[in-house]
């Protein structure tokens, strides 16, 4: 068996980095989604959260590709699931990331060189805020609150 030079220290961080590098090769959108997720809360990511209602064409092209259909979103999520970097929540409609993996992603983010991911995260959460009279408005607002709190650390 060939010994990998990039796995000398055999740490879990090295394992995650190897997985992340493989994801970047296999699905660049999945890698960007994982980095975007570093800016928001590690719980409760769902398809509709990433949609930019009335502003789809203003979203970054990689996000447009991921959210073009729910099937494309699920394909991206499946890539991340296959590397065990995220997990499906019990309700099967949302996904989460272990807090330690989330901390690693946050530590690896370079705000100055992140291709506008912080701005994308802020816009994504802002556009997901439902109108007052929308169905399930209070529930969605509660879900978004954790993402807003997470984003506040970058102010």
């Amino acid at each position: 068996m060939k010994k990998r030079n990039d796995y000398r220290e055999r740490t879990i961080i090295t394992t995650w980095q190897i997985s992340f590098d493989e994801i970047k090769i296999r699905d660049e959108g999945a890698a960007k989604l994982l980095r975007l997720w570093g800016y928001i809360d590690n719980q409760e990511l769902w398809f509709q959260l990433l949609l930019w209602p009335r502003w789809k064409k203003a979203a970054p092209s990689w996000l447009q590709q991921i959210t073009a259909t729910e099937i494309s979103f699920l394909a991206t999520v499946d890539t991340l699931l296959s590397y065990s970097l995220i997990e499906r929540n019990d309700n099967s409609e949302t996904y989460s990331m272990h807090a330690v993996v989330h901390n690693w992603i946050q530590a690896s983010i370079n705000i100055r060189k992140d291709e506008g991911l912080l701005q994308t995260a802020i816009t994504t959460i802002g556009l997901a805020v439902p109108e007052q009279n929308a169905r399930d408005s209070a529930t969605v607002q509660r879900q978004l609150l954790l993402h807003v709190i997470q984003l506040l650390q970058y102010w």
Side-chain angles (χ1 to χ4, degrees), residues 38-40 102 106 148-155:
Y39 286 105
I40 60 177
H102 192 248
Q106 286 180 316
V148 171
I149 291 168
Q150 187 68 32
L151 283 167
L152 286 174
Q153 74 176 320
Y154 297 102
W155 253 258

Side-chain angles (χ1 to χ4, degrees), residues 20-149:
F20 182 76
D21 292 343
E22 290 295 320
I23 290 169
K24 278 176 38 180
I25 293 167
R26 183 174 167 190
D27 185 344
E28 182 66 29
K32 286 188 179 191
L33 178 59
L34 199 63
R35 289 177 48 226
L36 175 76
W37 205 340
Y39 286 105
I40 60 177
D41 190 64
N42 64 313
Q43 303 294 315
E44 302 278 5
L45 182 82
W46 65 98
F47 174 65
Q48 290 81 6
L49 174 67
L50 300 174
L51 298 177
W52 287 28
R54 300 183 306 269
W55 298 96
K56 277 189 184 275
K57 293 187 191 261
S61 60
W62 64 269
L63 187 57
Q64 288 180 36
Q65 289 174 357
I66 290 171
T67 60
T69 65
E70 194 161 356
I71 292 170
S72 59
F73 169 74
L74 293 173
T76 301
V77 165
D78 281 344
T79 299
L80 299 175
L81 287 167
S82 70
Y83 284 90
S84 300
L85 291 172
I86 67 169
E87 52 197 29
R88 188 179 326 268
N89 292 335
D90 290 338
N91 64 17
S92 298
E93 293 180 12
T94 64
Y95 301 87
S96 62
M97 182 187 310
H98 192 282
V100 177
V101 175
H102 192 248
N103 289 341
W104 167 70
I105 291 291
Q106 286 180 316
S108 68
I109 292 172
N110 183 337
I111 294 174
R112 287 180 226 72
K113 297 181 182 178
D114 72 355
E115 301 150 25
L117 286 175
L118 176 58
Q119 289 77 21
T120 300
I122 293 167
T123 304
T124 298
I125 301 307
L127 290 174
V129 175
E131 299 202 13
Q132 289 281 350
N133 58 355
R135 188 173 150 232
D136 297 328
S137 176
T139 302
V140 174
Q141 288 177 9
R142 277 193 300 279
Q143 288 174 302
L144 293 175
L145 183 59
L146 294 174
H147 296 300
V148 171
I149 291 168

Side-chain angles (χ1 to χ4, degrees), residues 7 9-19 100-101 104:
Y7 200 68
E9 296 176 22
R10 298 186 191 281
T11 66
I12 191 67
I13 292 173
T14 303
T15 302
W16 291 333
Q17 188 62 53
I18 291 169
S19 295
V100 177
V101 175
W104 167 70

